[in-house]
Amino acid sequence: YAMDESPILLGTELTTCVIGPAGQKLQHKLQDGGRESVSFVVTICADGSVPFPPTVIFSGQNYLKRCIALSPTGYTNDNLSLEWMHRFEALTCPTGNQASEWRELAIENHGSHLTLPFLDYATSHRIEVVGYIPNSTHVLQGLDVACFGAFKTYYSRTIASYQRCTGCSITKDTFLELIKEPFERAFTQSTILAAFRTTGLEPINPAAIKPTQLAPSEEHSAPTAFPLELPAPV
């Protein structure tokens, strides 16, 4: 399994390409532009499925229900991560002949995933938590590599169509209504399988990640100070 959290701006569309007058690089469009951030927590399985519905985290104070949560910042925290772990255990627990099998869970090394209650609960329920090495999620986190980009593209098109047809802003209630179709289009079995395959997690394939993908950034500029000796004429 793999789990990740991604922020979504409620009323802000992604940059898109449109047809416009020749020579005019930017085309302006009227939109809601709401900058309120919502966290979208999704879990995927190496068999190509989404084992349970995603969790949406709004900015607020109290836990609401299974699929909707509130936090002061709108992002996950220690308590919400532990609640999520309880839910993960309940909905993915092996049964029958596989009851004693361990589950592998690949997650980011976020502080809320490294608390003792979180890790102790995982170990006591035969869940092996695997964290990504620093600065590697852009190539190792399958949800970032294959899924969230497609989801945000579909969501952007959905809210653009909604605002064009209704002229209304995107609220929390509207968001919950609009994410269903983009989610189902983005998180398909083929996309999820590609997420695990591309990152080399399932099947295990170290060669899937090239050394250049994890190499340090190269410097393309050099520090200097004025005055500069400039070629003539300038």
Side-chain angles (χ1 to χ4, degrees), residues 137-201:
T137 54
H138 64 292
V139 294
L140 293 180
Q141 174 55 277
L143 283 157
D144 285 341
V145 172
C147 300
F148 280 138
F151 168 75
K152 290 181 179 180
T153 298
Y154 293 137
Y155 174 70
S156 180
R157 295 174 184 172
T158 298
I159 64 173
S161 175
Y162 174 82
Q163 293 178 9
R164 185 166 55 248
C165 295
T166 66
C168 298
S169 300
I170 305 298
T171 64
K172 292 183 175 68
D173 289 337
T174 306
F175 172 79
L176 294 174
E177 296 174 359
L178 296 179
I179 60 173
K180 183 178 185 294
E181 180 183 355
F183 181 81
E184 292 176 346
R185 293 185 63 186
F187 288 85
T188 62
Q189 183 181 41
S190 60
T191 302
I192 295 172
L193 291 176
F196 282 97
R197 183 177 62 252
T198 303
T199 55
L201 292 181

Side-chain angles (χ1 to χ4, degrees), residues 3 5 76-82 107-119 129:
M3 180 269 279
E5 171 185 358
T76 193
N77 54 35
D78 294 357
N79 293 331
L80 291 180
S81 291
L82 186 57
I107 56 177
E108 291 186 359
N109 290 325
H110 188 274
S112 63
H113 304 154
L114 302 176
T115 64
L116 284 177
F118 185 92
L119 297 176
V129 176

